[in-house]
Amino acid sequence: MTTLQTTPEALDTLTLTSFIETFGEGLLSNIEAAHPPRFTQSNSNREAILGTLKRTPFEAQANAIQAICALLIDEQAPAGVINGEMGTGKTMMGIAATAVAYHESKAKRFLVLSPPHLVYKWRREILDTVDNAKVWVLNGPDTLLSLLKLREAQPHDGPEYVILGRVRMRMGYHWSPAYRVKKARIQVGHDGLRAQTAWIEQCVCPDCYQVVRDEDDEAIAPSHFPTDSQMQCKHCQSPLWTLKRQRQSSGLGETVKRALQTLPTIGKVTANRLLSCFGEQYLAKAMADNIYELVNLLDEDGEFVFTERQAERIERKLAKTQFAFGQGDFQASEFIKRYFPAGFFDWLMIDEAHEYKNAGSAQGQAMQVLASCTNHRLLLTGTLMGGYAEDLFYLLWRSMPNVMMNDGYHYSRGKLGRAAMQFSQEHGIIKEVMKVSEEGHHKTAKGKALRVSQTRAPGFGPLGVAKYVLPYTVFVKLSEMQVGVLPDYQEYFEEIELTPDMDAYYTEMEQDLMQQLRQALRGGDHTLMGVVMNALLAWPECAFREEVVTHPRTKQVLAHIPQLFDEQTPMPKEEALIAMVKANKQQGRRTLVYTTYTGKRDTASRLKSLLGATGIKCTVLRSTVKTEDREDWILEQVDRGVEVIITNPELVKTGLDLLEFPSIIFMQSGYNVYTLMQAARRSWRIGQTEAVDVTFLGYQNTAQMACLELMAKKIAVTQSTSGDMPENGLDVLNSDGDSTEVALAKSLLNQNAAF
């Protein structure tokens, strides 16, 4: 073995940033020569079109719009991505791109996939941006009725937009077997003289009239036709099933009555009175088709049934709610594919496109169905990928399958798992772990067993970026907006010391749990990992309650810590929060507080109580507030003078503009990179006039610090595919390739190796 000697001089290396600064100009020239940019000069005709919009885009937005139009319209690319930083106005840019396509007679009808709580925001932004636009909203149980009306509607003299809520898109549909029956004579016996026959019924395909047979090639009788699986004809591949409507379990009167009671100020007594006065048919029509008829109902004396305040509340609710009375609930994506003419929709716009990256998700598959019904797809996202190559693979496959198949990625036995692994091997990072163990095979001989396992790791290679990201993606940064559009933005981290009692209990608990976890892992038991990580992360936040850590299977007590703080005494991190909120209040600034423990541990209620005791008016946004109601709920709290909103970042991570809360404080970070990045930018958006500050709090010398460090690494990997280059590009890769939780466990085990 040769040992390499290194000198201090040999250890001097250039950081990636320094390398780019030194050699970047030459590298850029070579790259531009090999891969000329698709958009270099603004199109004057498109500038004029953008100038006719009701809202004029900023220069950076206009450049992005022109670039995506050059890709989709001029080069006829199957898909394009606007990867815009949170708050850059991706919705407006997407709408403006469709306006250009319409005015150039390249597209007329656009289908928009939206998170359910943003469908009405999309409608508002479309009407505020495009003149003479017609907008259809499909987000309620009457989606089928709206689709039927849309299919039969006369063409509109202007661009048409159909906004489909993501959840409604993939709602389970009702179906039944579809076949024809024919009679056939078969032999059933023989009496010695002649064959005995009988007439039987057989199922045949309604398209080709071939007999439907089972796996044993036996004809299927109607009584034995499968009702739990959707079959296809083996001859013509036609589906042997059809969509059907779900029957209403009660009469129209009861259905209308229940619907009325979901509206503000209407209870059981009022609903009964309305039904007796106006009838179920009239009320059903008013609720489904004309909300103004409902809010302006007149009684026998010609007086309004509802007061002005009641009418305002009901109208606000009806603006975000759809009712259906007997129209069924087919899956919208399947209905569009089967019953709409080919090419009915020209473009598909996919908001929050990263939500469709999961391999086996129903909404991802439904999105793929709709993408196949359109000519071009425009993806809007703020976080194109979460660090793994596989995240990008399924988005690419669903939005541009022909490109992926031409590159050699195909289905294998009806699944894409092998293609996804191939993509990760070629463009991502795959970690192979080889374990060699000695095993006794015979009494006098021993052998070595080699086991190899593969796991994915964060990272995306430059070839993949050059081939699949840069040619189809337009990047937009908030920093590119013109001067004065956005205020200052700062992120801070504050390390909080534990009290002596907390530090002593935590150190003892960490050592005990790490020792037990290490022993369990040696024995191949991984069930303790989640329990240990949750305890180490959560206990410093919940020292106001007794903590008992038990084994998930044996129920053995692994650690026990008594209650250290009462309900009125704030813990160190809570003291820091109170001080920051008070300082914000003195400056007239509202504060948004994120806490991930809002369930069993319920730190949100405790924070509300502690802040309220100091005279700060605060409230908690919980998951019980429907997604489509959260924007109005927040505005209502602002009107009531609330100074602090406490919530889980998952509830506000997409779509909501929280401009009224310029100060954001993370009590915990959580594990999800998408959620952290989205939630941190909720108030730094176009329209914000105050400086925005985001503060992360972490307890010193605890697992929280290791978790924050790992999250920072994954965020850096994500940003490296979005045009932001970390200081040390290779150092930020988490080469362990595990989830944040597993990587955190390994980090803590290494730190406690001495125990």
Side-chain angles (χ1 to χ4, degrees):
M1 178 184 294
T2 303
T3 303
L4 296 178
Q5 301 293 330
T6 59
T7 63
E9 290 76 14
L11 295 177
D12 290 338
T13 57
L14 282 175
T15 65
L16 187 57
T17 303
S18 300
F19 178 82
I20 294 297
E21 290 176 351
T22 304
F23 305 103
E25 187 174 348
L27 287 171
L28 184 60
S29 300
N30 290 332
I31 292 173
E32 288 181 344
H35 304 281
R38 297 188 173 191
F39 170 74
T40 55
Q41 187 173 1
S42 178
N43 183 306
S44 58
N45 292 331
R46 289 173 181 165
E47 282 184 6
I49 294 172
L50 295 179
T52 64
L53 298 177
K54 295 181 180 180
R55 294 187 297 168
T56 304
F58 296 111
E59 182 180 356
Q61 292 176 323
N63 289 334
I65 296 165
Q66 293 242 19
I68 206 68
C69 288
L71 174 67
L72 296 178
I73 299 175
D74 299 342
E75 300 198 10
Q76 289 294 299
V81 182
I82 294 181
N83 188 359
E85 209 170 14
M86 284 68 78
T88 52
K90 295 183 290 295
T91 302
M92 192 269 186
M93 288 185 278
I95 295 170
T98 62
V100 171
Y102 171 78
H103 283 284
E104 294 185 354
S105 301
K106 302 297 184 181
K108 177 177 176 58
R109 195 176 283 116
F110 308 94
L111 179 61
V112 180
L113 282 188
S114 164
H117 61 291
L118 298 181
V119 290
Y120 298 99
K121 181 181 178 183
W122 265 95
R123 179 176 66 178
R124 183 175 67 246
E125 294 220 19
I126 290 171
L127 296 176
D128 289 344
T129 305
V130 182
D131 190 31
N132 194 30
K134 185 173 183 179
V135 182
W136 300 71
V137 174
L138 309 180
N139 195 43
D142 67 341
T143 295
L144 173 62
L145 180 62
S146 299
L147 285 172
L148 291 171
K149 290 181 178 179
L150 173 63
R151 188 178 62 176
E152 304 300 329
Q154 294 295 321
H156 174 63
D157 184 23
E160 288 188 74
Y161 297 85
V162 179
I163 307 171
L164 180 59
R166 183 176 64 213
V167 175
R168 182 59 51 183
M169 165 192 68
R170 49 91 173 171
M171 288 290 284
Y173 54 89
H174 297 272
W175 63 275
S176 62
Y179 55 84
R180 289 184 179 271
V181 178
K182 80 171 184 178
K183 290 185 177 181
R185 185 187 292 273
I186 65 169
Q187 181 177 334
V188 295
H190 201 284
D191 61 2
L193 295 177
R194 59 180 180 179
Q196 294 178 334
T197 62
W199 287 95
I200 65 168
E201 292 184 337
Q202 294 178 335
C203 297
V204 297
C205 173
D207 290 335
C208 67
Y209 290 93
Q210 294 291 326
V211 176
V212 181
R213 299 183 179 277
D214 59 19
E215 296 179 354
D216 299 324
D217 202 33
E218 295 290 337
I220 300 177
S223 60
H224 291 77
F225 198 93
T227 58
D228 58 348
S229 62
Q230 297 170 340
M231 294 184 61
Q232 285 184 323
C233 176
K234 296 180 180 179
H235 294 273
C236 66
Q237 306 303 316
S238 296
L240 298 175
W241 58 274
T242 186
L243 299 172
K244 73 171 185 178
R245 294 181 179 178
Q246 183 183 22
R247 299 300 177 188
Q248 296 290 335
S249 59
S250 59
L252 179 60
E254 286 298 318
T255 304
V256 172
K257 180 179 176 180
R258 288 195 301 269
L260 284 170
Q261 292 180 62
T262 64
L263 299 177
T265 76
I266 298 180
K268 184 177 180 180
V269 174
T270 304
N272 286 329
R273 179 167 56 85
L274 291 172
L275 281 169
S276 63
C277 292
F278 300 97
E280 58 190 35
Q281 294 291 344
Y282 181 83
L283 291 174
K285 184 178 184 301
M287 295 175 70
D289 297 333
N290 193 339
I291 63 174
Y292 297 104
E293 287 186 12
L294 184 68
V295 297
N296 294 312
L297 287 174
L298 299 176
D299 60 18
E300 296 177 351
D301 300 325
E303 299 292 335
F304 286 111
V305 173
F306 302 110
T307 65
E308 185 176 350
R309 178 60 177 165
Q310 284 178 308
E312 288 179 358
R313 295 187 62 187
I314 293 173
E315 186 175 343
R316 181 185 297 181
K317 178 70 174 180
L318 287 172
K320 301 187 294 296
T321 307
Q322 290 187 344
F323 296 99
F325 304 102
Q327 290 90 5
D329 55 350
F330 296 167
Q331 184 172 1
S333 57
E334 186 67 26
F335 188 88
I336 291 172
K337 176 184 177 182
R338 297 191 64 183
Y339 298 117
F340 272 61
F344 187 86
F345 295 104
D346 299 301
W347 281 27
L348 172 66
M349 276 200 296
I350 307 168
D351 193 14
E352 303 296 343
H354 59 272
E355 299 283 354
Y356 302 90
K357 68 181 178 61
N358 293 332
S361 69
Q363 67 183 22
Q365 294 169 358
M367 183 271 272
Q368 183 177 345
V369 169
L370 292 176
S372 67
C373 302
T374 57
N375 298 322
H376 300 284
R377 278 72 70 181
L378 175 55
L379 284 67
L380 309 176
T381 181
T383 47
L384 184 58
M385 62 182 298
Y388 297 100
E390 189 173 306
D391 296 343
L392 192 59
F393 171 79
Y394 285 100
L395 280 179
L396 292 171
W397 178 269
R398 287 164 179 157
S399 57
M400 51 180 83
N402 291 337
V403 172
M404 302 301 288
M405 286 190 288
N406 291 337
D407 289 344
Y409 304 108
H410 301 280
Y411 280 103
S412 176
R413 298 180 179 178
K415 298 182 179 180
L416 285 172
R418 182 175 296 180
M421 177 58 73
Q422 177 187 346
F423 185 82
S424 296
Q425 289 171 336
E426 294 175 357
H427 302 292
I429 297 177
I430 298 294
K431 182 187 69 173
E432 288 190 349
V433 179
M434 293 185 293
K435 294 184 179 180
V436 181
S437 61
E438 292 188 356
E439 297 182 357
H441 299 288
H442 304 283
K443 292 183 179 180
T444 58
K446 290 185 177 180
K448 290 186 177 181
L450 177 63
R451 298 175 182 173
V452 180
S453 61
Q454 291 185 334
T455 58
R456 60 177 188 159
F460 196 58
L463 178 60
V465 173
K467 192 172 186 179
Y468 297 109
V469 178
L470 296 182
Y472 302 100
T473 308
V474 177
F475 298 100
V476 185
K477 301 294 180 184
L478 280 169
S479 57
E480 297 172 352
M481 297 297 164
Q482 65 191 50
V483 177
V485 173
L486 285 168
D488 187 37
Y489 175 88
Q490 295 291 334
E491 289 187 357
Y492 304 95
F493 171 72
E494 188 166 333
E495 198 170 5
I496 309 297
E497 291 186 6
L498 298 170
T499 66
D501 286 347
M502 292 177 69
D503 185 53
Y505 276 110
Y506 180 86
T507 302
E508 182 180 357
M509 178 178 68
E510 183 182 34
Q511 294 176 6
D512 291 344
L513 291 180
M514 285 294 108
Q515 180 66 26
Q516 294 179 74
L517 176 59
R518 186 175 290 105
Q519 292 176 356
L521 293 175
R522 287 171 182 166
D525 181 6
H526 294 264
T527 58
L528 272 185
M529 185 174 297
V531 174
V532 171
M533 291 302 101
N534 287 334
L536 293 178
L537 286 171
W539 179 80
E541 309 289 339
C542 308
F544 57 87
R545 60 192 289 272
E546 181 184 35
E547 185 75 23
V548 180
V549 184
T550 59
H551 195 286
R553 288 189 291 103
T554 65
K555 305 305 179 183
Q556 174 190 356
V557 176
L558 306 178
H560 173 264
I561 300 179
Q563 176 184 352
L564 300 185
F565 295 85
D566 57 31
E567 295 181 358
Q568 292 78 32
T569 305
M571 296 180 294
K573 190 184 283 190
E574 293 167 344
E575 289 180 343
L577 172 67
I578 293 171
M580 287 187 284
V581 170
K582 284 184 175 180
N584 289 334
K585 181 179 179 180
Q586 291 178 353
Q587 300 175 18
R589 294 166 60 87
R590 296 184 181 89
T591 308
L592 182 64
V593 178
Y594 291 136
T595 177
T596 58
Y597 301 114
T598 53
K600 177 182 176 182
R601 300 178 186 273
D602 196 17
T603 55
S605 296
R606 175 178 169 84
L607 293 176
K608 177 182 178 182
S609 175
L610 292 173
L611 289 169
T614 63
I616 296 170
K617 191 172 183 179
C618 60
T619 188
V620 179
L621 171 60
R622 300 192 183 275
S623 59
T624 51
V625 179
K626 295 181 180 180
T627 53
E628 62 269 21
D629 294 337
R630 286 172 191 165
E631 184 177 23
D632 284 343
W633 184 91
I634 292 171
L635 292 176
E636 186 175 349
Q637 303 308 311
V638 172
D639 291 341
R640 292 179 177 179
V642 167
E643 297 161 321
V644 177
I645 287 183
I646 305 165
T647 188
N648 190 311
E650 288 285 348
L651 301 182
V652 297
K653 66 179 181 180
T654 56
L656 294 179
D657 297 335
L658 304 180
L659 303 178
E660 297 82 4
F661 296 84
S663 291
I664 297 177
I665 300 174
F666 281 84
M667 298 296 283
Q668 305 92 30
S669 67
Y671 289 137
N672 193 305
V673 172
Y674 290 114
T675 299
L676 182 65
M677 295 177 65
Q678 293 270 6
R681 300 295 179 90
R682 281 304 94 199
S683 60
W684 195 49
R685 314 177 74 79
I686 294 175
Q688 179 62 268
T689 57
E690 298 186 55
V692 175
D693 58 79
V694 179
T695 305
F696 297 89
L697 301 180
Y699 276 118
Q700 191 177 62
N701 300 324
T702 68
Q704 293 182 5
M705 300 302 298
C707 182
L708 285 168
E709 291 174 2
L710 291 172
M711 288 293 289
K713 291 182 180 180
K714 289 184 178 290
I715 289 172
V717 175
T718 302
Q719 291 176 334
S720 68
T721 61
S722 301
D724 290 341
M725 192 62 63
E727 180 66 23
N728 292 299
L730 298 179
D731 292 343
V732 301
L733 294 179
N734 176 13
S735 59
D736 290 338
D738 301 305
S739 67
T740 307
E741 183 181 59
V742 175
L744 176 60
K746 290 182 177 180
S747 174
L748 294 176
L749 284 169
N750 292 333
Q751 293 177 13
N752 291 269
F755 299 101

